[in-house]
């Protein structure tokens, strides 16, 4: 582990954040006069990205930013493909420090690299060790590292517990979200009893199956149920108080199409609720421990995809649409601290395939675009680059992934302090 220089930075007194933008002025967004200040914080020839929008990319001080590094693009990962994980110091000329490496990763979500909630200096990421996937936990201050004998997905707010799906299963049914290198031992079973959602104790390393695929396949009505549909879980997220978690229950048809129900459950797998039962559930975020903002359709008279606020009850309770006609209905959603603003993005639009991260003020119904980032046509399917906007704890910065000309995918930092 190359942690000595990073450790020194953590032990030093913090530099004033007011000086950050003076450090590097590598502009990345087009039309910068119309958009907030933006700079690229990683550089080629290696490619860098973070992945999903619901992980802690920034440390609690908003100074250190996690990322991953790879030396190729435009193909699926192979079992022997190694990526590096590292941290960027925004107050030291965006300096990259390598922390470790992994062979358990994908283009959309990386290796689940993230800061551990409730800590100032601990990070974790998934890896493959022999015939199993594992999770490494690193203390950047001491350099101490340990390995949990099970991969993780979402962490509880106290950083002590994780829930996770079976990445072998996901790799079989949804390339781009699972990990290569280990085959699904239940590949021929449409709804196996031996796998599903696991709870992992990050302190002891103990894991247990809490909801099986056989169990969820028998719970409630499966929309458009047909012979041969194959069940799996993906996209898990603890509630803000850690009392429950979300999971998407998906089933794939023989023709490759899929439908989705959103469920919630207690951390031990009990009290399962089918919040979105109609088969149309997509990107989501908790607003508070009782409400979930999710993209779906066929609610409130809107037959199209939109953003809807659901109660954490069977059937979703009193469902309300949010941002109709203004907030993009098919992006990656996050609430900024305080829940006054939403952060979102778009998929490629128009002939130039522009992706537009944006903020939405809930009270004023005002949308503020943060830039337009072109996605060349070669970035498609499994290895596309969604911007997946992530906000810093102090609400000053948004970090996104987007290609840079002649450098491939890189991470961009947007200063939103004058907006929020």
């Amino acid at each position: 582990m190359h942690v000595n220089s990073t450790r020194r930075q953590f032990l030093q007194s913090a530099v004033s954040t007011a000086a950050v933008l003076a450090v590097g002025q590598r502009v990345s967004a087009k039309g910068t006069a119309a958009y907030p200040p933006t700079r690229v914080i990683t550089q080629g020839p290696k490619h860098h990205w973070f992945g999903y929008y619901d992980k802690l990319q920034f440390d609690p001080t908003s100074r250190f930013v996690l990322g991953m590094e790879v030396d190729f693009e435009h193909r699926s990962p192979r079992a022997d493909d190694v990526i590096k994980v590292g941290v960027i110091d925004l107050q030291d000329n965006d300096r990259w420090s390598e922390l470790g490496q992994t062979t358990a990763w994908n283009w959309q979500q990386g290796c689940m690299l993230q800061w551990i909630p409730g800590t100032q200096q601990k990070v974790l990421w998934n890896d493959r060790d022999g015939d199993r996937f594992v999770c490494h936990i690193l203390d950047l201050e001491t350099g101490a590292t340990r390995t949990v004998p099970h991969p993780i997905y979402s962490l509880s707010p106290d950083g002590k517990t994780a829930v996770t799906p079976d990445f072998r299963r996901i790799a079989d049914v949804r390339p781009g979200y699972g990990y290569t290198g280990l085959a699904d031992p239940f590949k021929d079973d449409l709804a196996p009893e031996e796998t599903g959602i696991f709870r992992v104790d990050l302190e002891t390393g103990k894991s247990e199956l809490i909801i099986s695929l056989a169990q969820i396949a028998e719970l409630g009505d499966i929309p458009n149920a047909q012979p041969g549909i194959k069940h799996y879980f993906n996209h898990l997220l603890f509630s803000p108080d850690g009392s429950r978690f979300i999971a998407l229950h998906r089933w794939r048809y023989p023709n490759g199409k899929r439908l989705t129900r959103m469920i919630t459950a207690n951390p031990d797998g009990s009290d399962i609720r089918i919040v979105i039962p109609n088969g149309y559930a997509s990107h989501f975020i908790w607003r508070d421990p009782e409400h979930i903002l999710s993209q779906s359709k066929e609610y409130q008279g809107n037959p199209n995809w939109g953003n809807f606020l659901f109660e954490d009850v069977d059937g979703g309770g009193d469902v309300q649409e949010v941002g109709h006609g203004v907030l993009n209905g098919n992006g990656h959603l996050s609430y900024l601290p305080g829940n006054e603003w939403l952060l979102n993005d778009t998929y490629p639009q128009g002939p130039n395939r522009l992706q537009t991260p944006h903020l939405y003020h809930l009270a004023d119904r005002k949308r503020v675009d943060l830039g337009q980032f072109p996605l060349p046509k070669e970035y498609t399917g499994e290895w596309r680059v969604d911007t997946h906007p992530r906000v810093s704890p102090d609400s000053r910065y948004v970090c996104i992934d987007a290609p840079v000309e002649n450098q491939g995918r890189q991470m961009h930092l947007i200063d939103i302090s004058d907006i929020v």
Side-chain angles (χ1 to χ4, degrees):
M1 299 289 183
H2 303 285
V3 299
N4 290 340
S5 59
T6 306
R7 177 186 176 190
R8 285 197 298 271
Q9 293 299 324
F10 268 88
L11 296 177
Q12 290 175 357
S13 59
V15 179
S16 170
T17 55
V20 171
L21 279 177
V23 172
Q25 296 291 340
R26 297 186 294 276
V27 175
S28 59
K30 293 188 176 183
T32 53
Y35 302 118
T38 299
R39 74 178 193 264
V40 185
I41 59 173
T42 55
Q43 300 181 66
K46 299 295 179 81
H47 315 297
H48 302 86
W49 86 112
F50 182 75
Y52 233 46
Y53 64 101
D54 57 0
K55 305 288 183 285
L56 293 179
Q57 183 184 18
F58 291 81
D59 81 306
T61 71
S62 301
R63 171 177 176 173
F64 296 95
V65 182
L66 294 172
M68 294 165 289
E69 182 181 86
V70 67
D71 58 7
F72 69 91
E73 293 188 298
H74 312 310
R75 67 165 172 83
S76 301
R78 294 190 289 256
D80 59 350
D81 284 325
V82 176
I83 66 168
K84 308 292 187 181
V85 299
V87 64
I88 297 159
D89 187 347
L90 298 180
Q91 296 179 12
D92 188 9
N93 201 32
D94 301 334
R95 183 172 55 86
W96 166 276
S97 296
E98 183 182 322
L99 303 179
Q101 63 184 35
T102 177
T103 55
W105 64 280
N106 57 58
W107 288 116
Q108 293 308 304
Q109 299 179 310
C111 57
M112 296 298 162
L113 175 66
Q114 57 194 291
W115 297 90
I116 298 180
T119 73
Q120 294 291 319
Q121 73 286 338
K122 290 184 179 180
V123 301
L124 54 67
W125 66 91
N126 290 338
D127 196 1
R128 190 178 76 248
D129 183 10
D131 62 352
R132 68 188 310 160
F133 294 121
V134 300
C135 174
H136 299 309
I137 299 176
L138 171 65
D139 187 318
L140 275 72
E141 183 174 334
T142 67
T145 183
R146 62 187 180 88
T147 299
V148 175
H150 205 287
I152 62 89
Y153 191 110
S154 177
L155 304 181
S156 60
D158 63 7
K160 296 180 179 180
T161 305
V163 286
T164 186
D166 189 333
F167 290 100
R168 303 168 302 178
R169 183 80 172 182
I170 298 173
D172 179 60
V173 294
R174 186 82 195 278
Y177 290 84
Y179 302 147
T180 60
L182 298 177
D184 178 8
F186 313 107
K187 180 178 180 178
D188 297 328
D189 193 333
L190 298 177
E193 296 181 353
E194 299 88 348
T195 193
I197 295 175
F198 297 83
R199 181 178 61 181
V200 183
D201 188 319
L202 293 177
E203 296 180 330
T204 66
K206 179 183 177 182
S207 64
E208 60 178 322
L209 179 65
I210 56 173
I211 305 176
S212 74
L213 288 171
Q215 177 185 359
I216 201 65
E218 295 296 327
L219 184 65
D221 294 325
I222 304 295
N224 196 24
Q226 297 176 12
I229 58 175
K230 194 169 186 177
H231 298 266
Y232 67 105
F233 287 114
N234 201 359
H235 302 306
L236 285 64
L237 186 63
F238 268 102
S239 63
D241 65 356
S243 63
R244 296 181 64 76
F245 69 88
I246 292 170
L248 294 187
H249 165 219
R250 288 182 160 164
W251 52 99
R252 192 189 69 177
Y253 294 87
N255 64 5
K257 294 183 178 181
R258 66 184 183 275
L259 288 178
T260 305
R261 298 189 300 181
M262 175 188 286
I263 69 165
T264 63
N266 291 333
D268 63 358
S270 63
D271 190 16
I272 300 173
R273 305 169 189 171
I274 304 175
V275 177
I276 301 180
N278 67 358
Y280 301 109
S282 186
H283 306 117
F284 58 82
I285 198 73
W286 290 92
R287 188 190 75 177
D288 53 56
E290 289 81 35
H291 296 87
I292 301 160
L293 183 65
S294 178
Q295 282 150 6
S296 187
K297 66 178 183 177
E298 299 181 0
Y299 283 98
Q300 296 296 314
N302 185 353
N304 302 311
W305 285 92
N307 304 287
F308 298 91
L309 190 65
F310 296 86
E311 296 179 87
D312 181 21
V313 297
D314 280 311
D318 182 18
V319 181
Q320 301 294 328
E321 188 169 8
V322 175
H324 178 74
V326 182
L327 180 66
N328 180 47
N330 192 21
H332 303 90
L333 296 159
S334 298
Y335 281 95
L336 268 63
N339 290 350
E340 295 183 12
W341 292 86
L342 279 168
L343 178 62
N344 196 22
D345 65 352
T346 69
Y347 286 115
Q349 296 179 327
N352 294 324
R353 289 172 51 84
L354 298 177
Q355 299 188 111
T356 308
H358 51 276
L359 289 165
Y360 176 79
H361 192 261
L362 288 154
D364 297 337
R365 288 180 46 83
K366 178 179 69 173
R367 170 172 156 166
V368 181
D369 290 349
L370 304 181
Q372 291 187 319
F373 299 83
L375 187 69
K377 291 182 179 180
E378 58 265 31
Y379 291 95
T380 185
E382 179 185 337
W383 45 81
R384 69 188 183 277
V385 186
D386 299 342
T387 63
H388 288 150
R390 292 86 54 179
V391 67
S392 61
D394 62 3
S395 295
R396 174 163 186 163
Y397 301 115
V398 167
C399 187
I400 67 165
D401 304 327
V404 174
E405 188 174 3
N406 299 321
Q407 296 191 54
R409 67 190 69 209
Q410 302 294 342
M411 296 195 297
H412 306 236
L413 192 74
I414 306 171
D415 187 337
I416 61 171
S417 57
D418 286 343
I419 300 173
V420 303

